[in-house]
Amino acid sequence: DPDVKARRGLLYLSDGAGGTIFSLAFRLAWMYLEADGIEPDSTEDEQVMFGDTVLTRFESNDGPYIRVDSNGYQVLLLYRGVQGSFKRVSLSEVLAGTVPEDFFADRAVLIGATAESLKDYIETPYSSTLFGTPQLMAGVEYHANLTSQLISATLDDRALLKTWPEWLDYGAIVVAAFIGAFMSWTRRYTSTIRRVIPEIALVGVYGGIAYIALLQSWWIPLVPPILAGLGAAGAITAYVARSAADIRQTFSRYLTDEVVANLLETPGGLTMGGERRKITILTSDLRGFTSLSERLSPEQVVGILNIYLEAMADVITFYQGTIDEFMGDGILVLFGAPTQREDDIERAVACAIAMQKAMPAVNATMREKGLSDLEMGIGINTGEVVVGNIGSYKRTKYGVVGSQVNLTYRIESYTVGGQILISESTYEPVKELVQTDDEQKVSPKGVKQPISIYSVCGIGGKYNLELEKQEEELLELQDTVKIEFTIVEGKNVGATMTLGELVKLSPHYAEIVAPETIPALKNLKLRFADGSQFKPDDNEFYAKVIEPSADNGRGFQIRLTSVPSAVDKYLKTLHKERCRYP
């Protein structure tokens, strides 16, 4: 055989001239059995037989063989065992007369040389050892095994080595492949060890079956079915790995990599419920985007959002934030869930600054598309929330719940474009690193006592980021402009408009004189009293009250937050033509 082991024996060969050459073993067995009146015969399909025992002819594809040389009349050898399984005496013992006189009576006796120098040794299936050199068998003993096999099969009904029909070989391969694939598929979501154990058991069970069958003189294919089973299991594993990679890539567009890993790799990743944890929450929002979107087509709105959100997502990912949700033009980001790190607060503040610094590039793209610039406000808060899988088993969302989330939204609502406001709980742990330019006391809805919020302008340490300062001088208008405004509370716009005068102006700020002062951080909806030059929907813009006027008891300063292009053009004209420059 290709592995240099002898597993087959010849009964006879054709000499090429129509004659037959019998092998030593077959001729010797014939002579032995002839004494009992047993002559070789043949079946209808030309199989050799001694008495009632058919010596099944070996075919080229029997058992594990594939297209091997089957010329002559070959049979599979069933060895008695390892070397030395037969009684033997040396020639010197015979010549010395030390062998009993009846030792050879009624036996087939083979005489042959066993000297190693003659090189008449072969390897058998019993030759292999775990350690050391193979145990070779002398050629004369090989012939003795084949002779014994023919005689004992005829007289003692010793079973001959048999093989399955070829169709059963293919059937075993198909069944093993199916079992391997089925076991791998049904356990595809278990751990690697638990997934491999059944496959190892499959090899062990089939190997045991093959061994037991061999003891019963059946030689069934071992390696092809095992390879088929393991190959099918490997194919399923590769498919699942590829599918998991595709799922991970798809889910990563909706969830962060950490959340996806938690869902796919953690056994309890989909368990409903949550845990209390102190995290840092960042939320951002585009100033005045809602009113802007009302004047654009749905395609333009989605296009703007995609430009903005893509840029922000890249920054957030870099700072290892977990994007919990895109809410229109708003983003909710978690630092500390699902993975907590010691520098969560520091990274959250650095991420907010980096997000603001990314806005000029976003606006450059906006201007290329003929659209107005965008401005973003960011609020950050640190507190205890419940984080985990929220919803039902049919529809689940990984998210956070708690009053601290609502407080973060309230803090963000106080921002103007380009501003970052953080709570005291966020500021205190990193106050040695964070640079602020303002502190305010506010009373958010749902909070009993006023809280301090800080306007961040930079962070030191390893991030070393700083916002560009926008210093704008309010210039006095030569002629005041009549203006009407009303307070916006949450999503509700006041029904009564108050008349005031626009007295000072800069590119982003303005000062208004009115019958009464409006408190700081209030949002206003404004329009020009004489709006004849505007279309009805264009004469509306929004602003946030910054502080009372420094030199006018009834005045207050505002920061423009959402300005349509027509109003923006008019304000620029006012600033250029009607302001008193120093």
Side-chain angles (χ1 to χ4, degrees), residues 294-314:
E294 293 173 354
R295 296 188 293 272
L296 300 174
S297 67
E299 292 79 10
Q300 286 179 306
V301 172
V302 173
I304 292 172
L305 285 177
N306 286 342
I307 294 170
Y308 162 69
L309 295 176
E310 181 178 4
M312 296 302 107
D314 289 342

Side-chain angles (χ1 to χ4, degrees), residues 509-580:
Y509 294 85
E511 185 173 316
I512 295 175
V513 174
E516 58 182 24
T517 300
I518 306 298
L521 303 181
K522 288 291 185 180
N523 293 307
L524 302 180
K525 178 180 179 181
L526 308 98
R527 67 187 182 198
F528 292 102
D530 180 13
S532 57
Q533 71 270 44
F534 300 107
K535 294 180 180 179
D537 293 338
D538 288 343
N539 186 23
E540 290 181 353
F541 59 104
Y542 293 83
K544 183 183 290 290
V545 178
I546 302 301
E547 59 185 9
S549 174
D551 54 2
N552 193 319
R554 293 183 297 112
F556 53 90
Q557 294 181 7
I558 60 172
R559 170 57 157 87
L560 302 174
T561 56
S562 177
V563 181
S565 57
V567 173
D568 181 58
K569 183 177 181 181
Y570 179 64
L571 290 173
K572 287 179 178 177
T573 300
L574 290 179
H575 186 262
K576 181 178 180 180
E577 298 179 357
R578 297 174 61 175
C579 284
R580 291 192 176 94

Side-chain angles (χ1 to χ4, degrees), residues 56-133:
T56 305
R57 184 173 186 166
F58 172 80
E59 301 293 343
S60 61
N61 290 322
D62 280 354
Y65 290 100
I66 300 175
R67 296 187 296 276
V68 298
D69 181 6
S70 61
N71 289 322
Y73 198 111
Q74 301 179 29
V75 294
L76 290 170
L77 250 171
L78 187 59
Y79 286 90
R80 286 288 184 179
V82 298
Q83 178 182 349
S85 297
F86 293 94
K87 291 182 179 181
R88 64 172 67 189
V89 294
S90 66
L91 182 59
S92 60
E93 288 177 299
V94 175
L95 294 175
T98 58
V99 179
E101 292 183 1
D102 62 346
F103 183 79
F104 300 111
D106 298 324
R107 294 183 177 181
V109 180
L110 287 83
I111 303 173
T114 58
E116 292 186 9
S117 60
L118 297 179
K119 307 297 183 183
D120 186 20
Y121 278 87
I122 61 171
E123 287 192 40
T124 73
Y126 291 95
S127 297
S128 300
T129 58
L130 289 176
F131 305 100
T133 57

Side-chain angles (χ1 to χ4, degrees), residues 248-277:
R248 184 186 296 270
Q249 184 177 7
T250 301
F251 276 13
S252 293
R253 299 182 65 183
Y254 297 90
L255 305 167
T256 66
D257 289 340
E258 289 180 316
V259 174
V260 173
N262 186 56
L263 292 175
L264 296 180
E265 299 170 8
T266 305
L270 291 173
T271 304
M272 299 300 297
E275 61 173 318
R276 286 193 172 275
R277 186 186 297 182

Side-chain angles (χ1 to χ4, degrees), residues 427-501:
Y427 173 72
E428 284 298 326
V430 292
K431 62 183 179 182
E432 301 299 328
L433 295 174
V434 172
Q435 304 163 22
T436 61
D437 56 12
D438 187 27
E439 177 185 353
Q440 302 177 59
K441 286 283 187 180
V442 294
S443 298
K445 182 180 178 181
V447 179
K448 295 179 180 180
Q449 300 294 329
I451 64 170
S452 296
I453 56 175
Y454 302 83
S455 178
V456 174
C457 58
I459 186 171
K462 62 182 179 181
Y463 298 108
N464 196 27
L465 297 172
E466 189 174 356
L467 293 178
E468 294 183 9
K469 295 181 179 180
Q470 296 181 346
E471 296 183 357
E472 298 182 7
E473 183 181 359
L474 281 169
L475 300 177
E476 187 176 348
L477 288 169
Q478 296 176 2
D479 301 309
T480 61
V481 178
K482 300 292 185 182
I483 200 164
E484 296 176 333
F485 63 88
T486 186
I487 296 175
V488 179
E489 295 285 359
K491 301 298 182 181
N492 298 316
V493 179
T496 304
M497 300 295 289
T498 302
L499 183 64
E501 293 182 345

Side-chain angles (χ1 to χ4, degrees), residues 395-456:
R395 181 74 175 178
T396 304
K397 174 185 178 297
Y398 183 88
V400 291
V401 176
S403 60
Q404 296 299 325
V405 181
N406 298 330
L407 179 57
T408 308
Y409 286 121
R410 300 278 186 260
I411 293 172
E412 183 275 324
S413 69
Y414 294 128
T415 63
V416 297
Q419 190 176 29
I420 302 169
L421 292 178
I422 64 175
S423 66
E424 190 168 6
S425 58
T426 301
Y427 173 72
E428 284 298 326
V430 292
K431 62 183 179 182
E432 301 299 328
L433 295 174
V434 172
Q435 304 163 22
T436 61
D437 56 12
D438 187 27
E439 177 185 353
Q440 302 177 59
K441 286 283 187 180
V442 294
S443 298
K445 182 180 178 181
V447 179
K448 295 179 180 180
Q449 300 294 329
I451 64 170
S452 296
I453 56 175
Y454 302 83
S455 178
V456 174

